[in-house]
Amino acid sequence: MDRQKTTSDLIVERLGIWQVERIYGYAGDGNNPLLGAIRRADGPEFIAARHEESAAFMAVGEAKYGDRVGVVTSTQGPGAVHLLNGLYDAKLDSVPVVALVAQQHQSVLGSDYQQEIDLGHLFADVSSPFLQTVTTPEQLPMVIDRAFRSALANRQPSVVILPHDVQQAPAPDLGQSHGEVVTAPRWTQGRVLAREEDLEQALQVLAEGQKIALLVGQGCRGQWEQVARLAERLGAGIATSLLGKPHVDESHPLVTGTMGHLGTTASAALLQGCDTLLILGSNDPWTEFYPPPGQARAIQVDVDPAVIGNRYPVEVGLVGHSSEVIGQLLERLPERDDPWRSTVEEAVTTWREISRLRAEVPAEPLNPELVVRELNRRLPEDVQLAIDVGSSVYHYVRQIAVPPGGNAHLSSTLASMGCAIPYALAAKEVSPQRPVVALAGDGAMEMLGNNELITLATRWRTWENPRFVLVALHNQDLAEVSWEQRETESEPRFEESQTVPRFDFAGYAELLGLHGMRIHDVSALERVLDEAFSVERPVVVEVLTDPDVPLIPPFPHGRELLDSMRTGLAAEGESGHHGLELLERYAEIEEERR
């Protein structure tokens, strides 16, 4: 006898129409009906994480690497709570995710039933554009369609709450009865062009500018050639937000690198020296690294009018897709011979030398900047990079140039540790033929990464190309926070809060059937990294690095904080002596090259 089609079957069918290929999640009694429907269907594929937080990060990774909607599911109660971190990552980095969250039977709601929590309140902020509980089967197709359209239009998470009894109910036969809404699983967008009067005003500001800087964000994804033409036309330097870094070619002489606390000295010189700022598709929050208010006349381009003037007092707002607006500007901007260009190029050359010299500073046992610099030399052209939060981000910004054919992602605005391995897994699922490289510190690995190495061990044999290289920087310290304690508080490192227990990452990888390697001597660095990229299975490269290598903000901002860091290190006594020596050497490199 044929099984009766349920509302859960209808959900899976609708996801297929929305071209969902994978659902990340974790099982529980609450979403069992949905999981059963996934099992019965030809697709989408269900990929089980080891924790709902990881599953949510994987859905974010699906959205970021695949440029599509990521989908995650969980049970009610604790499973739902665990989703929050990943969903906030999607919200703050503006990527589309749909969460299908189970709830107890409607008949028990309000009784303090087992695992009953108020999911509407729980998700009210993280999914404010669209949050809906499905209370009848007839409601379901419309809610799924609106969830996807909202996620795509707003670049934000949508949450659909699915009571258990609704998941089990027979699928409805929708018609035209009163109270039934029949929708289409379709979404599209048009061209958004800037207004003529705003363009004229922007062109006037640019014509009067003598020292122009571009700040490029993720809104310029896939638009490097246009951005480069615009910079060449204006003689402008190009700084990027953290999210914008993968979308420019950092070999270009006008690209100064990432701005902000973890940025480059070239980007700091550009933004502190410019008299005109053109912000392209960026909402970067590091406001103290923008030009001082009043120094630069500013223009901002964004498809979202709500963010115009959000970070800097702009004079002109151009609302439109950055590709369209850049095209509008290029049609009208004249060629110009600008001496500012040579100043920018000199700052870029200086920064590249600083970056090289920093990596060559001896450390005990290895300088992490040298490790990441050597890793950068081996990145395949089509690499997909996943970067974890912490000191890894500093080294990524300062020592890695994403190849023009590659991409890279991290938890930027939320800055949540533990994202790299879930992201890397999603990157591999999206494009199994492409190599993946992940970079994470030992703190992030012990927080979430180690668990998802188990998932890696279960998935890698399904991939067309098994190359997956994880470099784990092992220094037994939450290094970024240790340096923040010294830098912002003038306090010594607090050992009880900062120490990361030693863990055998390479040995653990071997236990899981992966390939584990360990580097504790600089003489082995190149040989081991070469081998890591030749192994036909995922590799975990554990590198013992020096926690005292400084994480200095770019000068001139960093110079202003040196005394605070010296005070903190001096208070550590003998244990701070090595860090103080390294700090002085790094400061000396900066000053000598300026």
Side-chain angles (χ1 to χ4, degrees):
M1 186 175 69
D2 291 340
R3 181 187 180 95
Q4 184 179 27
K5 183 177 178 180
T6 68
T7 300
S8 290
D9 294 312
L10 182 57
I11 294 171
V12 175
E13 179 182 292
R14 208 69 169 186
L15 295 178
I17 298 172
W18 278 104
Q19 299 183 324
V20 174
E21 297 179 18
R22 282 163 291 277
I23 303 172
Y24 301 94
Y26 200 87
D29 63 326
N31 60 354
N32 271 338
L34 176 61
L35 296 175
I38 296 171
R39 177 187 61 80
R40 293 189 294 273
D42 292 332
E45 182 180 11
F46 179 75
I47 298 177
R50 308 276 61 78
H51 193 283
E52 290 91 353
E53 181 179 354
S54 295
F57 276 132
M58 290 176 191
V60 177
E62 177 90 12
K64 288 185 173 182
Y65 291 96
D67 195 21
R68 64 187 69 167
V69 178
V71 179
V72 64
T73 183
S74 79
T75 191
Q76 67 270 336
V81 174
H82 290 160
L83 292 178
L84 277 178
N85 211 42
L87 294 183
Y88 269 108
D89 185 38
K91 177 184 176 71
L92 271 61
D93 278 358
S94 302
V95 295
V97 169
V98 170
L100 304 175
V101 186
Q103 178 60 295
Q104 286 289 5
H105 288 70
Q106 294 181 94
S107 59
V108 303
L109 297 180
S111 69
D112 289 336
Y113 205 74
Q114 184 182 25
Q115 293 189 331
E116 180 198 347
I117 61 175
D118 188 339
L119 297 181
H121 277 84
L122 180 73
F123 294 113
D125 177 60
V126 75
S127 62
S128 55
F130 192 86
L131 166 62
Q132 188 62 53
T133 299
V134 180
T135 58
T136 70
E138 290 78 11
Q139 185 185 2
L140 191 280
M142 174 269 293
V143 169
I144 294 292
D145 290 347
R146 293 198 66 212
F148 273 80
R149 283 196 291 268
S150 176
L152 287 162
N154 296 297
R155 310 291 295 181
Q156 298 276 286
S158 295
V159 171
V160 177
I161 299 170
L162 300 166
H164 198 111
D165 51 326
V166 174
Q167 294 179 57
Q168 294 174 317
D173 183 15
L174 292 176
Q176 206 173 1
S177 298
H178 179 73
E180 293 182 357
V181 179
V182 181
T183 58
R186 298 288 183 269
W187 180 80
T188 188
Q189 59 182 335
R191 297 176 64 194
V192 183
L193 303 173
R195 297 190 311 172
E196 183 64 29
E197 54 266 44
D198 294 332
L199 275 173
E200 291 296 334
Q201 190 177 358
L203 289 164
Q204 183 65 33
V205 171
L206 291 172
E208 295 171 0
Q210 299 299 312
K211 302 175 180 179
I212 301 175
L214 308 185
L215 174 57
V216 174
Q218 67 171 338
C220 291
R221 179 175 183 170
Q223 297 161 32
W224 164 244
E225 291 186 6
Q226 274 190 304
V227 170
R229 284 179 58 206
L230 182 63
E232 295 276 358
R233 186 78 57 86
L234 295 169
I238 305 170
T240 75
S241 68
L242 186 54
L243 289 171
K245 174 180 166 69
H247 307 309
V248 305
D249 181 353
E250 291 187 285
S251 67
H252 193 284
L254 288 174
V255 176
T256 63
T258 304
M259 64 92 78
H261 186 273
L262 43 66
T264 71
T265 56
S267 71
L270 174 70
L271 294 176
Q272 297 305 302
C274 70
D275 64 16
T276 307
L277 176 64
L278 177 55
I279 305 170
L280 297 169
S282 174
N283 191 28
D284 194 286
W286 286 108
T287 53
E288 67 266 40
F289 290 88
Y290 285 72
Q295 171 187 299
R297 302 174 71 185
I299 303 162
Q300 185 172 359
V301 178
D302 205 286
V303 72
D304 183 0
V307 304
I308 299 293
N310 198 38
R311 305 298 187 190
Y312 194 78
V314 302
E315 187 171 329
V316 185
L318 298 173
V319 177
H321 289 111
S322 55
S323 60
E324 301 285 0
V325 177
I326 293 172
Q328 289 178 286
L329 292 173
L330 285 171
E331 288 176 358
R332 309 187 193 195
L333 282 169
E335 298 286 348
R336 56 189 283 173
D337 182 19
D338 199 325
W340 169 242
R341 174 173 180 145
S342 61
T343 302
V344 173
E345 291 180 346
E346 183 179 343
V348 171
T349 300
T350 299
W351 161 247
R352 290 176 180 167
E353 179 69 2
I354 289 172
S355 177
R356 180 186 67 81
L357 291 171
R358 279 179 167 181
E360 293 175 357
V361 172
E364 302 171 4
L366 279 87
N367 185 330
E369 293 208 51
L370 176 63
V371 174
V372 178
R373 190 176 184 86
E374 288 297 323
L375 176 66
N376 179 64
R377 291 179 52 225
R378 291 161 175 80
L379 293 179
E381 283 297 311
D382 59 345
V383 70
Q384 300 191 98
L385 281 160
I387 311 298
D388 221 306
V389 168
S391 57
S392 297
V393 182
Y394 287 77
H395 308 321
Y396 158 66
V397 164
R398 296 168 176 181
Q399 298 295 347
I400 286 181
V402 181
N407 60 19
H409 292 289
L410 73 167
S411 174
S412 176
T413 316
L414 183 64
S416 180
M417 289 173 62
C419 66
I421 308 306
Y423 270 27
L425 283 162
K428 202 66 177 175
E429 298 293 346
V430 167
S431 301
Q433 76 283 2
R434 295 177 62 177
V436 164
V437 174
L439 179 66
D442 49 1
M445 289 300 299
E446 293 184 22
M447 179 178 283
L448 202 60
N450 281 348
N451 280 355
E452 295 312 324
L453 288 183
I454 300 172
T455 307
L456 174 61
T458 68
R459 294 295 304 173
W460 72 269
R461 289 178 177 84
T462 69
W463 298 332
E464 177 184 334
N465 175 0
R467 276 205 294 172
F468 184 114
V469 177
L470 162 65
V471 176
L473 303 176
H474 191 175
N475 60 15
Q476 292 193 266
D477 186 44
L478 296 176
E480 180 180 12
V481 179
S482 293
W483 280 100
E484 287 170 344
Q485 289 175 349
R486 297 159 179 147
E487 172 194 322
T488 62
E489 312 302 331
S490 299
E491 290 277 353
R493 173 182 178 273
F494 181 30
E495 184 170 351
E496 286 76 6
S497 73
Q498 299 310 108
T499 299
V500 177
R502 181 170 293 283
F503 185 85
D504 185 355
F505 296 103
Y508 180 54
E510 291 287 331
L511 286 174
L512 293 173
L514 310 175
H515 189 69
M517 309 174 76
R518 183 180 293 106
I519 306 173
H520 53 76
D521 188 306
V522 69
S523 64
L525 178 60
E526 294 191 29
R527 174 184 59 79
V528 172
L529 287 178
D530 285 341
E531 182 181 340
F533 281 92
S534 67
V535 177
E536 292 298 314
R537 67 173 55 208
V539 179
V540 175
V541 182
E542 176 186 356
V543 189
L544 303 185
T545 59
D546 193 331
D548 289 331
V549 168
L551 303 177
I552 306 178
F555 280 33
H557 303 81
R559 185 191 296 112
E560 298 168 1
L561 296 166
L562 285 176
D563 284 344
S564 178
M565 288 185 271
R566 289 172 179 137
T567 299
L569 286 163
E572 295 173 24
E574 184 62 29
S575 63
H577 181 69
H578 177 55
L580 189 58
E581 287 183 334
L582 289 175
L583 178 67
E584 299 300 350
R585 178 59 187 138
Y586 267 54
E588 181 182 320
I589 289 171
E590 292 274 2
E591 296 293 5
E592 286 177 350
R593 281 9 183 230
R594 289 182 64 80

